[in-house]
Amino acid sequence: MSSPHSAINNKGHGAARRDFLKAAAGLLALAIGGLAPVAAGLTAFLSPLRRRSAAAGFIRVAALAALPENGEPRKFPVIAGRRDAWTAHPPGPIGAIFLRRTGPKSVSAFNVACPHAGCLVEYRPEQRGYLCPCHNSRFELDGRLGDARSPSPRPLDELEVEVRENSEVWVKYCHFQPGRREKVAVP
Amino acid sequence: MSRAQKAAEWLEARAGVVKLGRSLLFTSIPGGPRWRYGWGAALLFSFAIQAITGFFLLTFYSASAQTAWESVFYLQTTVPFGGFLRALHHYNAQLLPLLIVGHLAQMIIHRSLTAPRELNFWLLAALFPLVVALSVTGWLLPYDQKGYWAARVPVNLLGLTPLVGPPLKQLLLGGPDFGHHTLTRFLALHAFMLPALALGILLGKSGLERRHRAAETAAANGAPYWPDQFLRDAVVCLAVMGALLAMILRPWLTGETERVEVPLYAPADPAQPFPAARPEWPFLFLFQFLKYFPGGAEVLGAIGAPLVLLALILAMPWIARRPWGHRFNVAAVALGLSGAGALTWLAIRQDQQDPQFPRAVREARAQAQRVQTLARRAGIPPAGAVELLRRDPLSEGPRLFARHCASCHRYGGHDGLGQIPEEPPSAPDLKGFASRAWIAGILDPERVSSPAYFGGTSHAQGQMAKFVRKTFADAEPDLLAQRAKVIKALSAEAGLPAQREADRKEAADILEGRRLLAGEDMRCTECHQFRQPDETATAPDLTGYGTRAWLIGIISDPAHPRYYGGRNDRMPAFGRDQILSAQAIELLADWLRGDGAPESSLK
């Protein structure tokens, strides 16, 4: 307890010093007593900060034959197993992507989540582009922003695609932080 | 002295309850009772309603991704007064921000924010973000599509805060994405932390108010709280309840068809978009406000603008003391309120003008109705109500059709979901497939080669089309009567649920039709196989035509000898080539047959 304060109080007023020491000791005792519940609680509460989404790797999404030849986008669910805390979900839809043919054996893939606030964009054939129903962000067929006034800060998030064995479309499904100009994957 | 009196005195000597009550009830109110003092009472009353209804809701709620929606559904449909309880909580949550804003405006207009009431004013202003946080956490708890999508946006906006945003968001969600721990955390905030803070603020504000009143009564002519102000406060509380009941009973009062206290939409599904997502109406102005911030700048709108507003509110007590300061404050209130009003109106009008939005709302309601019908009929599986929709032909069928079939086929002219694809159809329209009306079309010389049947296919000039034209174009009435029986017989093969009654009643015609089908006069079996194994058949098997098994077979592999064999025209083998899972094919077959639920239709 040799803090700078004791030096200030050391003016011969022994009573003042004793009062200070009592108060300081009392506060210390309280802090030690209260430490256990607060520390345990905060450690548990903060633990999700270390949790990462299971890196999904490539997932088979569709057969190449299911994509129209004319380059029109199609939405496909992403089917995968998933763990949510204690529940192990059997394979089921965990999200969706747009797939579109860019050539006989090439495909581009977009995450359907709008990079603005995370609503799911829709394909509008009459506009030949995508539209977010929440804040009206527009995107071209190739994912570029379709309109300078779109609230979305960046184009639709393109995903890595592989066409395997000339017939299956595999996509590396992941999410990106919404609302930012740069595309940052969610941990 | 009676025993009761003695007991009362004993208690009073120790607890001072009567004295406390008296001091509360008989506090002097400076300037006497006034109606405008009722704002505080209204606010307290509104909070009390949330606390009471909140407690009882909590006794039914179960916070996990597979039980949240389900427990609210149970509360609403099974528990007596459950829906009404939720409605009270839901609509009162919409009144609360209005009451706070009204109270703030009243304090500004009547200059009761200057010394010594700065703290009262700030405490009241601090309630507003608390109530917004209570609302956002509350939206998510029923875990329906609306709450899920409406809560995602503010959570994502929070994540945009520089530096602390991303970890804060992850803490709030209890992980990288929405799940069980999002619900448990939102519940802990919504039902414990935030109300505790709000209670602290309300108690602090009332305490300060009493202190200031006591000091001021000496100067002004005061009158006790009881009974004049009490009566006014009570009437104000009654008015709040009246407004609340009017909001809850609106569907009954205005004669709306869908009479439900608070809609519960389909269970949250991250894979299903919800274009009807909007925040509750008191927050529509914020929603609209954010539309005007171009890409990447919404940090300014979502975090910057509220901070500026907060600074202004903090400064208002000082501004009020400057010359013109009061007018400035009042003008700021007027501007703020009319701006919020105008933005709300714009948000509503833009949605009304967009043809897609009302359609999205209708679809959302239809889905909600559908899942509730399923849940009532069979109960909810342990995997949750979302499973009910995923296994429901009526919900999944049209989606699968639009995704996989509609580039060639149509369903009643559209893609199954009501959209009309750009390119003309190149395969038959499958609405009512194998029904009498559908088969009548394919046996009609006028229609067999129309786009609704073989028009877009290589069969347009094939043997079947030629046969139909040659045989039935100028047919005798006798032959046409025989054709009618063949149609009934072939359609009866499918055993469609919608035709069960007709099939049963006209069994004699069907028997006769079956004989004709199998016989040589009608010439069906020259190409088709029917009930007798026929190695030489070149056209699809008519045995069990349109049954579930038949449909699953043709979707799985149309080029199988039982169906089109080598004459298959471009149709993919969805099963053989693993384009669709077995479950998806079954769902499509069931939906095309109209199996599942005749009483309610999604589209």
Side-chain angles (χ1 to χ4, degrees):
Chain A
M1 280 281 103
S2 63
S3 69
H5 297 279
S6 32
I8 295 164
N9 283 338
N10 199 5
K11 288 180 183 172
H13 294 289
R17 191 182 65 214
R18 277 195 296 279
D19 280 356
F20 170 77
L21 284 174
K22 280 179 203 159
L27 285 174
L28 188 68
L30 259 186
I32 293 170
L35 186 70
V38 174
L42 277 181
T43 313
F45 184 77
L46 296 177
S47 65
L49 283 180
R50 292 196 307 275
R51 213 177 291 161
R52 298 277 175 271
S53 48
F58 278 88
I59 298 174
R60 182 193 180 275
V61 176
L64 189 61
L67 298 184
E69 307 276 350
N70 62 4
E72 210 180 9
R74 276 284 139 77
K75 196 166 82 172
F76 291 92
V78 177
I79 311 282
R82 172 172 78 83
R83 243 196 129 82
D84 175 9
W86 55 87
T87 306
H89 288 276
I94 57 166
I97 55 165
F98 278 111
L99 289 181
R100 124 171 221 278
R101 250 182 221 263
T102 50
K105 294 282 176 218
S106 61
V107 174
S108 66
F110 299 104
N111 195 322
V112 292
C114 179
H116 175 228
C119 299
L120 301 194
V121 299
E122 293 166 346
Y123 171 61
R124 295 276 173 97
E126 72 280 5
Q127 298 173 356
R128 293 203 63 76
Y130 311 88
L131 179 75
C132 177
C134 289
H135 305 94
N136 304 338
S137 291
R138 279 167 214 283
F139 305 91
E140 305 280 350
L141 275 183
D142 59 4
R144 275 180 302 140
L145 282 170
D147 171 355
R149 287 182 308 146
S150 283
S152 175
R154 59 172 194 259
L156 280 181
D157 293 319
E158 194 156 0
L159 301 167
E160 285 178 61
V161 195
E162 277 178 12
V163 178
R164 296 191 183 168
E165 290 155 21
N166 283 334
S167 64
E168 294 187 336
V169 183
W170 291 65
V171 170
K172 191 169 179 190
Y173 183 67
C174 58
H175 295 285
F176 302 90
Q177 288 182 359
R180 289 166 196 278
R181 284 214 173 79
E182 62 282 15
K183 197 172 142 191
V184 183
V186 170
Chain B
M1 225 194 284
S2 73
R3 276 183 180 210
Q5 273 173 322
K6 265 190 190 158
E9 249 173 42
W10 182 89
L11 184 68
E12 186 59 23
R14 283 155 186 82
V17 182
V18 174
K19 196 172 158 216
L20 177 72
R22 237 183 227 146
S23 79
L24 283 176
L25 285 180
F26 292 95
T27 330
S28 210
I29 298 192
R34 295 213 171 115
W35 282 106
R36 65 180 160 92
Y37 292 160
W39 280 108
L43 208 53
L44 277 175
F45 181 65
S46 197
F47 260 104
I49 294 176
Q50 288 312 72
I52 295 166
T53 51
F55 167 76
F56 289 114
L57 288 173
L58 206 45
T59 59
F60 286 94
Y61 183 69
S62 170
S64 89
Q66 276 81 51
T67 57
W69 186 95
E70 292 72 9
S71 66
V72 176
F73 169 75
Y74 184 84
L75 170 82
Q76 226 165 263
T77 52
T78 313
V79 177
F81 277 91
F84 183 67
L85 193 65
R86 179 170 174 235
L88 277 174
H89 199 77
H90 176 88
Y91 287 107
N92 190 41
Q94 302 181 351
L95 273 186
L96 255 178
L98 301 191
L99 289 174
I100 293 173
V101 168
H103 196 356
L104 278 172
Q106 175 255 330
M107 283 187 85
I108 293 167
I109 291 166
H110 290 101
R111 291 184 84 159
S112 36
L113 72 168
T114 49
R117 285 197 164 75
E118 299 97 328
L119 281 178
N120 308 30
F121 183 70
W122 291 340
L123 282 178
L124 185 61
L127 265 185
F128 193 78
L130 265 186
V131 166
V132 173
L134 276 164
S135 288
V136 174
T137 48
W139 292 341
L140 184 78
L141 293 181
Y143 220 45
D144 65 349
Q145 280 281 72
K146 181 176 170 136
Y148 177 78
W149 289 102
R152 270 187 90 95
V153 175
V155 168
N156 281 336
L157 288 173
L158 183 77
L160 285 182
T161 321
L163 292 176
V164 291
L168 210 58
K169 178 179 158 188
Q170 193 155 349
L171 266 188
L172 199 62
L173 296 185
D177 209 351
F178 281 70
H180 293 318
H181 281 151
T182 316
L183 287 167
T184 52
R185 277 167 190 240
F186 272 44
L187 181 64
L189 287 174
H190 183 81
F192 182 82
M193 196 65 165
L194 297 171
L197 285 174
L199 183 68
I201 287 182
L202 281 172
L203 287 178
K205 186 178 165 295
S206 315
L208 287 176
E209 198 53 50
R210 271 165 48 76
R211 221 175 113 85
H212 298 148
R213 278 178 187 169
E216 283 163 11
T217 328
N221 283 330
Y225 177 81
W226 184 270
D228 290 340
Q229 186 63 40
F230 169 75
L231 178 64
R232 281 170 171 76
D233 282 358
V235 170
V236 167
C237 293
L238 191 64
V240 169
M241 186 42 83
L244 204 48
L245 289 178
M247 286 164 92
I248 297 171
L249 298 176
R250 191 180 52 93
W252 284 267
L253 298 175
T254 57
E256 258 176 55
T257 42
E258 200 194 355
R259 293 182 176 175
V260 63
E261 291 96 338
V262 187
L264 180 65
Y265 289 88
D269 186 346
Q272 280 307 328
F274 191 73
R278 292 292 179 266
E280 294 296 344
W281 64 268
F283 302 104
L284 268 181
F285 76 97
L286 282 172
F287 161 78
Q288 181 71 14
F289 184 62
L290 285 183
K291 282 190 198 165
Y292 299 114
F293 286 86
E298 55 278 290
V299 191
L300 295 177
I303 293 155
L307 283 179
V308 171
L309 195 66
L310 187 72
L312 177 68
I313 285 174
L314 280 177
M316 272 183 167
W318 278 288
I319 297 175
R321 288 195 299 195
R322 306 241 151 219
W324 291 91
H326 178 60
R327 279 168 217 209
F328 173 85
N329 280 349
V330 173
V333 168
L335 198 72
L337 289 181
S338 48
L343 284 171
T344 307
W345 179 76
L346 269 175
I348 294 171
R349 206 187 55 147
Q350 281 184 7
D351 280 345
Q352 279 171 347
Q353 284 174 346
D354 175 8
Q356 300 283 348
F357 183 74
R359 195 181 135 231
V361 172
R362 274 199 307 279
E363 222 168 273
R365 289 203 176 136
Q367 259 180 36
Q369 241 171 32
R370 178 69 187 150
V371 69
Q372 300 203 14
T373 307
L374 293 170
R376 269 195 209 99
R377 191 188 299 159
I380 297 169
V386 107
E387 255 336 270
L388 286 174
L389 281 179
R390 288 183 184 163
R391 285 186 198 156
D392 175 35
L394 216 55
S395 308
E396 276 301 307
R399 289 182 192 138
L400 288 165
F401 187 85
R403 201 177 297 139
H404 295 283
C405 315
S407 51
C408 302
H409 291 281
R410 292 292 178 278
Y411 186 83
H414 56 82
D415 70 348
L417 292 169
Q419 304 261 24
I420 297 176
E422 276 173 272
E423 295 189 10
S426 57
D429 190 313
L430 295 179
K431 185 170 183 181
F433 177 76
S435 68
R436 291 177 179 186
W438 196 91
I439 296 171
I442 207 167
L443 293 180
D444 178 347
E446 303 283 317
R447 285 192 278 163
V448 62
S449 292
S450 72
Y453 291 94
F454 286 142
T457 70
S458 63
H459 306 293
Q461 303 306 325
Q463 298 210 15
M464 179 72 186
K466 280 185 197 150
F467 162 79
V468 168
R469 275 195 290 271
K470 209 172 76 190
T471 317
F472 299 120
D474 302 298
E476 299 292 319
D478 270 6
L479 187 59
L480 292 182
Q482 286 183 337
R483 180 178 68 175
K485 286 176 185 160
V486 167
I487 290 169
K488 284 178 191 172
L490 184 57
S491 186
E493 290 290 300
L496 296 175
Q499 273 178 195
R500 206 163 283 148
E501 192 62 8
D503 286 350
R504 198 178 52 80
K505 274 187 189 154
E506 294 168 74
D509 276 4
I510 290 168
L511 209 63
E512 174 66 16
R514 221 171 264 154
R515 222 180 349 257
L516 289 163
L517 250 172
E520 286 178 11
D521 292 351
M522 287 303 276
R523 301 177 51 210
C524 302
T525 46
E526 283 181 19
C527 302
H528 295 279
Q529 166 177 295
F530 184 66
R531 302 232 163 176
Q532 303 284 333
D534 180 358
E535 293 292 318
T536 60
T538 54
D541 186 3
L542 297 182
T543 316
Y545 179 79
T547 53
R548 187 171 192 261
W550 193 93
L551 274 167
I552 290 172
I554 195 168
I555 298 171
S556 300
D557 186 6
H560 188 276
R562 190 184 167 196
Y563 302 101
Y564 282 102
R567 293 170 192 233
N568 176 42
D569 177 19
R570 288 172 289 169
M571 175 155 163
F574 287 97
R576 195 195 60 199
D577 292 347
Q578 296 189 341
I579 300 172
L580 285 175
S581 68
Q583 193 197 11
I585 293 174
E586 285 167 24
L587 285 168
L588 262 173
D590 287 340
W591 174 64
L592 285 172
R593 287 172 44 82
D595 274 340
E599 81 274 30
S600 121
S601 150
L602 260 182
K603 288 282 133 22

